[in-house]
């Protein structure tokens, strides 16, 4: 089905099942430990052996010599695979650095070997006996030190590197009020609960991998390419995923090494990346240095806005597109954005929840707060003054829906924003200095092809199959809701099967595109199934009503179970998009409000209250969507106050490479969180009229925290994370 005109009324709009706060249909499996995750699939194939991965002990250079003799002779060892004996390997389209390193080493903890043994303990013992001599090469590990080597990249997503509209330099120079400030965001890790894990089994030249991956079709393609085998010979199965955040978008070393280990050992092999390996072996969100300049009239109207961002990556890696939102969020006739990329020998940087905007909003939304302060204008009012209903770089393009102003107003009213003292450092509650902060939320809505297959059986059950994944987001549930709504059956009559490359190719889980696109694909397949049923019954599908498990036309009622006739009825289709996404700018909006307390003596920061108001199209399942947003708000607090992959600039590794040193918020760090969805349906997004929401929730949170800390203390921290050492020296004198 091609979606090229704004959506009109369709069966989804009945909202009998869609739009209801439905609990996760796979929830009982997860809470009882019976949803099998990749490493736990002990029963899928017999005779599983264990692999243990060795990561490079240097950040850049070569393997000078490698001695496997002692390891090979160790008890239980079945095989040891290195680049030397793995045979010729290609490289996945979406991998910058090779997943199996050697002799060249591209980054610290790049996989260099796997030991396969009968037990995990034997495999782990064997890797201790592998002797590797390294020769360190010239290396660059410090982003700030290589800024002058940064070039203009050619990004494969997130728009062009640079944009230039009007005359920024002149407009900024003559603006009566100017802000010019530089912000930094650190490298961050996905730190999902389930590690990257795979079980690989060969049957002749056919390979099956049970794994944990967000994008099944990408994984198949890149695994086939890396192994040099046809992709028809590769099957990936990933029905349950214990978190991804972008860290499982791409083929990673666990998959490849399990496949190589299994081939060498002649047995199925299972591999989980050890937690300390995950931070340097897999991808991370790259650090940025961002300079923002804004010129404004005294009434707050922005006349010039410029945003430059620097990040680093391995050769072939992408830049962090931190300037993306600045192209769209605020009005202003003169504007420039610039993206620069430096070669760094740290582990590979790539997408993490809301790549681009998450980092960009951390900087931009402090800058707007600083401008408000200079102007003496309320930061909510300043944002409203600079609202735009058109893409400011291409004014002929309107936003399909844009309720930023409504989000700000609704949030301000609910949060009690009018009680905020605009003068910093004035409000106390015992030993705590109290402050409130606000930030806009912004994240683009991406539309992308997604297919599904639906089957009606003689019990009147509807089974949906698609390679869509559920990374904890609620895909199973919203897909079941979609099929139930379309076919007029209760939720209990729908079976959803996900995460298998034998199923039709979906949009996958990434970039907050999963919810809208995967359900739109199911919608398309259900339209076809309705037509097939109507044809079978000799009725007009346009006039048939599917409700209460019955197909109704005129005064004829046929139970769906009968409509299937002698066998199952199967329909498959995909949603594909025309030009609507080009004609209209599709984005999601919100507003974040945060109250913090800062200890007047120790500068300890406690978040006291949080509120998010989001406008993101139709909310398919308010319960699941709320969970996504409060999770994202929590992650935003982590970004503001804790998360930091600290770079060891001598050895080129992230030294905070475990869950003790890489701090994320725990329950005790998070206060009462409130969140509200504005009523919105977006007829330009898909027949579902929905948009993404899971990444919107993180965008802007960290800046709202930073702005609240400023309001509490008068100390402006521009380097994340905001740890108390950055506040202490400048804290107001105790009263
Ligand atoms: Mo998201 S960073 O595209 O999983």
């Amino acid at each position: 089905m091609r979606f090229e005109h704004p959506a009109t009324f369709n069966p989804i709009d009945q909202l009998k099942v869609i739009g209801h706060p439905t609990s996760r249909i796979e929830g009982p499996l997860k809470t009882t430990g019976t949803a099998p995750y990749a490493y736990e699939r002990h029963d899928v194939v017999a005779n599983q052996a264990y692999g243990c991965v060795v990561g490079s002990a240097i950040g850049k250079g070569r393997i000078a010599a490698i001695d496997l003799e002692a390891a090979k002779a160790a008890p239980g060892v079945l095989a040891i695979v290195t680049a030397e004996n793995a045979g010729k390997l290609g490289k996945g389209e979406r991998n910058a650095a090779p997943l199996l390193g050697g002799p060249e080493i591209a980054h610290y903890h790049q996989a260099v070997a796997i030991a396969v043994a009968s037990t995990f303990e034997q495999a782990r013992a064997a890797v201790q006996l592998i002797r590797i001599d390294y020769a360190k090469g010239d290396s660059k590990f410090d982003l700030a030190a290589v800024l002058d080597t940064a070039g203009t990249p050619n990004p494969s997503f997130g728009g062009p590197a640079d944009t230039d509209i009007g005359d920024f330099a002149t407009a900024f120079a003559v603006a009566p009020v100017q802000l010019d400030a530089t912000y930094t965001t650190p490298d961050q890790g996905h730190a999902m609960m389930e590690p990257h894990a795979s079980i690989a089994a060969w049957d002749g030249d056919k390979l099956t991998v049970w794994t944990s991956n967000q994008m099944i079709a990408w994984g198949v393609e890149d695994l086939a390419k890396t192994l040099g085998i046809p992709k028809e010979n590769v099957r990936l199965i990933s029905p349950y995923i214990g978190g991804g955040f972008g860290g499982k978008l791409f083929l990673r070393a666990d998959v490849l090494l399990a496949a190589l280990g299994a081939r060498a050992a002649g047995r199925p092999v299972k591999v989980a990346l050890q937690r300390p390996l995950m931070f340097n072996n897999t991808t991370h969100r790259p650090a940025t240095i961002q300079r923002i300049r804004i010129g404004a009239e005294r009434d707050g109207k922005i006349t010039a806005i410029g945003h430059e961002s620097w990040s680093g990556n391995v050769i072939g890696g992408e830049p962090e597109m931190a300037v993306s939102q600045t192209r769209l969020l605020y009005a202003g006739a003169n504007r420039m954005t610039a993206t620069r990329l430096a070669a760094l020998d740290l582990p590979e940087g790539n997408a993490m929840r809301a790549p681009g905007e998450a980092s960009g909003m951390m900087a931009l939304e402090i800058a707007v707060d600083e401008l408000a302060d200079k102007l003496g204008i309320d930061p909510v009012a300043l944002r409203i003054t600079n609202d735009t209903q058109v893409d400011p770089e291409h004014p002929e393009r309107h936003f399909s829906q844009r309720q930023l102003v409504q989000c700000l107003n609704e949030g301000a009213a609910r949060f009690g924003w009018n009680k905020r003292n605009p003068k910093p450092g004035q409000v106390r509650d015992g030993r705590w200095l109290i402050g409130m902060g606000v930030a806009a939320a912004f994240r683009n809505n991406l539309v992308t092809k997604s297919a599904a297959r639906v089957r009606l059986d003689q019990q009147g059950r509807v089974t949906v199959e698609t390679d869509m994944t559920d990374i904890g987001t609620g895909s199973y549930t919203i897909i079941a809701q979609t099929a139930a709504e379309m076919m007029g059956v209760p939720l209990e009559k729908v079976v959803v099967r996900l995460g298998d490359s034998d199923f039709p190719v979906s949009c996958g889980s990434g970039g907050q595109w999963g919810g809208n696109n995967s359900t739109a694909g199911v919608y398309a397949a259900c339209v076809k199934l309705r037509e097939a049923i109507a044809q079978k019954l000799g009725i007009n599908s346009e006039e048939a009503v599917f409700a209460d498990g019955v197909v109704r036309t005129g005064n004829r009622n046929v139970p769906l179970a009968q409509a299937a006739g002698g066998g199952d009825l199967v329909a498959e289709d995909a949603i594909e998009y025309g030009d609507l996404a080009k004609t209209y700018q599709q984005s999601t909006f919100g507003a974040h409000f945060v109250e913090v307390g800062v200890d007047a003596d120790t500068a300890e920061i406690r978040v006291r209250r949080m509120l998010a108001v989001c406008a993101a199209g139709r909310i398919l399942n308010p319960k699941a969507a709320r969970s996504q947003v409060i999770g994202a708000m929590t992650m935003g607090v982590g970004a503001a106050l804790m998360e930091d992959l600290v770079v060891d600039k001598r050895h080129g590794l992230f030294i905070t490479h475990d869950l003790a040193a890489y701090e994320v918020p725990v329950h005790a760090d998070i206060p009462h969180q409130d969140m509200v969805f504005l009523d919105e349906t977006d007829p330009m997004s898909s027949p579902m009229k929905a948009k993404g929401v899971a990444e919107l929730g993180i965008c802007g949170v960290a800046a709202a925290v930073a702005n609240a800390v400023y309001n509490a203390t008068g100390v402006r921290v521009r380097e994340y994370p905001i740890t108390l050492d950055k506040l202490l020296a400048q804290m107001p004198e105790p009263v």
Side-chain angles (χ1 to χ4, degrees), residues 496-541:
V496 181
R497 303 177 65 201
L498 301 181
D500 186 331
S501 58
D502 275 359
F503 300 153
V505 175
S506 73
C507 57
S509 295
Q512 79 168 10
W513 63 61
N516 178 51
N517 293 287
S518 71
T519 52
V522 173
Y523 169 93
C526 287
V527 168
K528 266 215 173 149
L529 183 60
R530 287 164 65 116
E531 285 164 4
I533 293 167
Q535 199 182 16
K536 187 119 190 176
L537 299 176
I539 59 175
N540 182 340
S541 75

Side-chain angles (χ1 to χ4, degrees), residues 214 245-246 249 351-355 509-511 695:
Q214 299 173 225
F245 306 120
L249 284 169
M352 183 167 135
R353 199 176 201 165
S509 295
E695 296 187 334

Side-chain angles (χ1 to χ4, degrees), residues 115-310:
V116 178
S118 302
T119 70
F120 171 70
E121 290 74 13
Q122 290 168 333
R124 190 177 53 181
V127 301
Q128 308 300 325
L129 301 173
I130 298 176
R131 294 274 159 259
I132 305 178
D133 293 326
Y134 294 98
K136 284 193 185 182
D138 288 340
S139 52
K140 301 185 208 109
F141 299 133
D142 183 358
L143 176 62
V146 297
L147 288 188
D148 55 350
T149 68
T152 305
N154 187 14
S156 59
F157 55 85
D162 295 0
T163 59
D164 206 344
I165 305 289
D167 181 353
F168 169 77
T170 305
F172 181 72
V174 303
V177 181
Q178 297 168 335
L179 173 93
D180 181 351
T182 297
Y183 307 87
T184 66
T185 65
D187 296 282
Q188 295 178 338
H190 304 89
M192 73 294 278
M193 282 171 68
E194 184 203 19
H196 297 73
S198 296
I199 299 172
W202 292 87
D203 179 5
D205 55 5
K206 301 236 189 262
L207 172 64
T208 303
V209 185
W210 293 265
T211 187
S212 185
N213 186 287
Q214 299 173 225
M215 299 290 296
I216 300 298
W218 290 2
V220 167
E221 207 172 278
D222 281 345
L223 181 56
K225 214 169 158 209
T226 308
L227 291 170
I229 62 176
K231 64 179 189 175
E232 294 69 41
N233 289 2
V234 175
R235 183 171 172 200
L236 243 53
I237 300 172
S238 186
Y240 299 104
I241 298 167
F245 306 120
K248 295 172 182 169
L249 284 169
F250 314 106
L251 180 74
R252 297 306 312 169
D254 58 304
V255 187
L256 177 65
L257 271 62
L260 293 173
R263 191 156 67 184
R267 274 173 68 172
V269 168
K270 60 164 60 178
V271 173
L273 292 185
Q274 305 91 302
R275 180 65 65 178
L277 209 60
M278 287 173 62
F279 293 85
N280 289 289
N281 175 276
T282 72
T283 58
H284 67 281
R285 190 200 299 282
T288 64
I289 298 174
Q290 302 179 49
R291 181 186 186 195
I292 296 178
R293 283 173 288 171
I294 311 178
E297 302 290 348
R298 298 215 176 273
D299 65 1
K301 278 247 176 316
I302 293 173
T303 53
I305 183 163
H307 192 162
E308 297 155 271
S309 174
W310 289 261

